[in-house]
Amino acid sequence: MQSPLRHGRAALGTTIAGGALAALSQAPERASRLLRHRYPTVAVTGMTGVGKTRLADRLSRRASAESGQDVGSAVMERRTRRDARMRGYRFRVVPGENAATRLGALDEVFHDEPVDGVLHVVANGYATPRRAGGTTGTATATREEQLAAELEDWSITAHRIASMAVRRDRPTWLIVAVTKADLFADDVEAAVDYYSPGSGSPFGDKLDELRALAGGARLSIDVLPVCAQGSGKKSSMPEKACTDLLGRLELRMAQLSGHV
């Protein structure tokens, strides 16, 4: 007959072993939560020509290549931002070209590996016109045509954001980044109003629809002007003003991600 002492030691050993196994099984999940807290993933979306890659490069402190600016990427690009406190972001720049690769990238960031936040880039109708199929060369489009294309692009993205928001147990944040603000420096306030919920504009109405679908408590929405590069040939905004706008965007992202 086994002694009570030996039985107690055996039970203790089983408890310790079980606890160790449980801790090991939970380790990957804890590591994943820590990674997401320190380096949340951010989907950078928007139609082709609005400046998604350039903005992601500025946010990740990466130099943008001057060549190939007239051709959008056909694949999802990745950027990582790290700071001295071992915090930052993992950016997923979704192609703007309306192709199978773009739809696949949207499915990845909103369904397969849901992101923590969304940076949707718009340009107030000043997106760089691109030729179809990603081919090089100049293209022309009116501002009204670009605004209409931007609205159509947003409809596709908004549907996926709503589907992601209702599936998860924590709020999702969305920042509408009104880029190329240096090209309409005197109308920045009006542009921000156009892209804001409750404004009564076509874009504002679609944001209201998104909030209703996702639930107000599940989705926070901010609208911020930004310019990724100032002092250009057509720019009417000093470089310092562009830097200040970028700083406001970075601060809001840090607040939403719990970094400050």
Side-chain angles (χ1 to χ4, degrees), residues 86-207:
M86 296 300 292
R87 288 184 175 181
Y89 307 93
R90 294 171 291 163
F91 295 102
R92 302 291 183 261
V93 186
V94 175
E97 186 69 24
N98 191 13
T101 53
R102 172 176 179 263
L103 297 178
L106 287 171
D107 286 340
E108 180 177 334
V109 298
F110 293 129
H111 184 272
D112 301 340
E113 299 178 15
V115 295
D116 300 289
V118 182
L119 189 62
H120 186 76
V121 186
V122 293
N124 196 29
Y126 290 90
T128 302
R130 297 256 172 83
R131 294 181 65 182
T135 55
T136 59
T138 58
T140 58
T142 65
R143 181 166 175 259
E144 289 71 22
E145 289 172 338
Q146 294 291 66
L147 284 171
E150 196 176 76
L151 198 61
E152 181 180 355
D153 169 85
W154 169 242
S155 298
I156 296 171
T157 304
H159 175 73
R160 285 167 168 77
I161 293 175
S163 297
M164 180 184 72
V166 298
R167 290 196 314 268
R168 69 193 331 171
D169 57 358
R170 64 181 185 278
T172 299
W173 57 262
L174 164 67
I175 297 178
V176 179
V178 189
T179 193
K180 305 192 185 225
D182 52 316
L183 301 182
F184 48 92
D186 295 333
D187 297 316
V188 170
E189 186 175 343
V192 169
D193 182 66
Y194 171 82
Y195 290 104
S196 296
S199 64
S201 71
F203 202 97
D205 288 345
K206 287 193 175 294
L207 279 177

Side-chain angles (χ1 to χ4, degrees), residues 56-99:
D57 286 345
R58 287 292 298 270
L59 290 170
S60 60
R61 303 295 191 267
R62 173 173 172 168
S64 297
E66 293 297 324
S67 61
Q69 290 184 28
D70 59 338
V71 181
S73 175
V75 297
M76 186 159 65
E77 299 184 34
R78 289 169 166 79
R79 302 285 188 272
T80 301
R81 162 79 178 273
R82 299 182 178 88
D83 62 19
R85 297 185 302 163
M86 296 300 292
R87 288 184 175 181
Y89 307 93
R90 294 171 291 163
F91 295 102
R92 302 291 183 261
V93 186
V94 175
E97 186 69 24
N98 191 13

